[in-house]
């Protein structure tokens, strides 16, 4: 970007109507590099303790690797692929000593100080890239119903209410390697927003609704609104919910500091 800008961000999480919380969400600021952030959503599966163990392992692995990450020298897509593989192996090792079979999705993105963004996902937790109220790109779920949509057998609307919408074709912790998919944005721009969320959130909204909410509200307001509205639309049958909203905003006053000079986290 030609002018400095800042990152405004918030996270949100709710147990929904489940007896326990298996989702994990985190927004990490790099310990040494200003303007470098990592966002992660992990939706754990495999019973009360199994699912939470899996999502905990994703967050722990991400935090440990991010501390060693250097955006000036490391290849970001390769770093994200290694993150997924290491988290997958740790979950598989956890399963050896557990009665459950822990699994987890992952949706993670890194924003580097120069404004480039890279993401990776496995499972049905999603990442959306909006420019104000316009959807630029989103992840495609590694799920049975997404495969039907891709083949033209279902519409996106039909897929949301399909009886097998919860069947995943791949995620972390399964016998096979996770089908992790990467995507890169060469340069983020002022007015653009990234939303990462579990299926407990996106299941109840169209892309247009998500774009409108993230464009018209602050990240904190958007996270609160989306969770509250999803809870109401679930009508007592909602899943765990987790999300992170990151918006690129212009600085009111240009400063000589780093290109990314503001960071607000945790709704």
């Amino acid at each position: 970007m030609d002018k400095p800008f800042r990152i405004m961000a918030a996270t949100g999480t709710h147990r929904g109507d489940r007896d326990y919380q298996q989702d994990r969400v985190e927004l990490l600021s790099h310990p040494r590099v200003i303007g470098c952030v990592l966002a992660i959503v992990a939706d754990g599966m495999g019973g009360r303790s199994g699912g939470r163990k899996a999502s905990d392992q994703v967050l722990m692995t991400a935090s440990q690797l991010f501390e060693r990450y250097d955006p000036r020298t490391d290849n970001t897509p390769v770093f994200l692929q290694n993150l997924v593989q290491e988290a997958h192996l740790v979950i598989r090792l956890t399963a050896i000593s557990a009665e459950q079979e822990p699994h987890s999705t992952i949706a993670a993105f890194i924003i580097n100080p120069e404004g480039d963004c890279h993401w990776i996902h496995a499972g049905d937790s999603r990442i959306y890239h909006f420019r104000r109220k316009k959807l630029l790109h989103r992840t495609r779920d590694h799920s049975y119903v997404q495969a039907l949509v891709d083949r033209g057998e279902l519409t996106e609307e039909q897929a949301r209410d399909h009886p097998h919408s919860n069947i995943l074709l791949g995620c972390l912790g399964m016998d096979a390697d996770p089908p992790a998919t990467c995507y890169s944005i060469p340069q983020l721009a002022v007015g653009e927003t990234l939303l990462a969320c579990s299926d407990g959130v996106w299941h109840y909204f169209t892309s247009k609704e998500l774009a409108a909410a993230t464009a018209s509200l602050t990240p904190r307001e958007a996270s609160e609104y989306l969770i509250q509205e999803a809870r109401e639309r679930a009508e007592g049958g909602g899943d765990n919910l987790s999300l992170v909203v990151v918006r690129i905003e212009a600085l009111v006053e240009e400063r000589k500091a780093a290109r990314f000079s503001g960071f607000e986290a945790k709704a």
Side-chain angles (χ1 to χ4, degrees), residues 73 136 166 196 261:
T73 58
L136 299 181
N166 63 334
S261 59

Side-chain angles (χ1 to χ4, degrees), residues 24-223:
R24 289 294 310 276
V25 59
E26 192 65 80
L27 187 59
L28 302 172
S29 179
H30 198 281
R32 299 179 307 280
V33 182
I34 296 174
C36 182
V37 297
L38 169 65
I40 318 104
V41 170
D43 180 355
M45 299 160 282
R48 178 172 185 174
S49 60
R52 186 52 184 255
K53 284 180 181 177
S55 59
D56 281 344
Q57 294 292 355
V58 173
L59 270 292
M60 181 182 69
T61 301
S63 178
Q64 292 175 344
L65 294 181
F66 192 51
E67 289 183 359
R68 304 198 296 270
Y69 172 69
D70 188 339
R72 296 161 296 191
T73 58
D74 292 340
N75 182 300
T76 308
V78 171
F79 166 81
L80 290 171
Q81 291 167 357
N82 290 338
L83 189 164
V84 168
Q85 285 297 325
E86 291 205 24
H88 170 68
L89 290 175
V90 171
I91 293 171
R92 293 287 295 154
L93 290 173
T94 301
I96 294 175
S97 59
E99 295 181 1
Q100 300 90 355
E101 294 185 5
H103 301 90
S104 180
T105 69
I106 184 172
F109 63 84
I110 286 181
I111 300 176
N112 286 321
E114 294 302 315
D116 54 303
C117 174
H118 309 266
W119 76 44
I120 195 167
H121 85 286
D124 62 355
S125 292
R126 290 184 179 180
I127 303 174
Y128 294 80
H129 178 205
F130 302 112
R131 178 174 295 150
R132 296 179 173 85
K133 293 185 179 181
K134 179 182 179 181
L135 174 66
L136 299 181
H137 193 72
R138 79 158 172 85
T139 55
R140 314 301 292 180
D141 306 330
H142 300 119
S143 67
Y144 172 70
V145 294
Q146 184 65 64
L148 296 179
V149 171
D150 293 342
R151 293 200 298 264
E153 299 178 23
L154 288 178
T155 65
E156 293 282 357
E157 292 72 21
Q158 292 171 331
R160 284 206 304 272
D161 298 320
H162 195 279
H164 300 310
S165 61
N166 63 334
I167 297 178
L168 298 183
L169 299 181
C171 63
L172 279 65
M174 299 182 74
D175 292 340
D177 288 342
T181 303
C182 292
Y183 182 77
S184 294
I185 304 168
Q187 185 68 69
L188 290 169
V190 169
E192 294 185 352
T193 300
L194 292 164
L195 166 67
C197 60
S198 64
D199 64 326
V201 176
W202 64 254
H203 178 83
Y204 297 101
F205 300 96
T206 65
S207 295
K208 289 184 177 179
E209 289 176 317
L210 293 173
T214 56
S216 59
L217 302 171
T218 67
R220 180 172 181 175
E221 291 170 343
S223 66

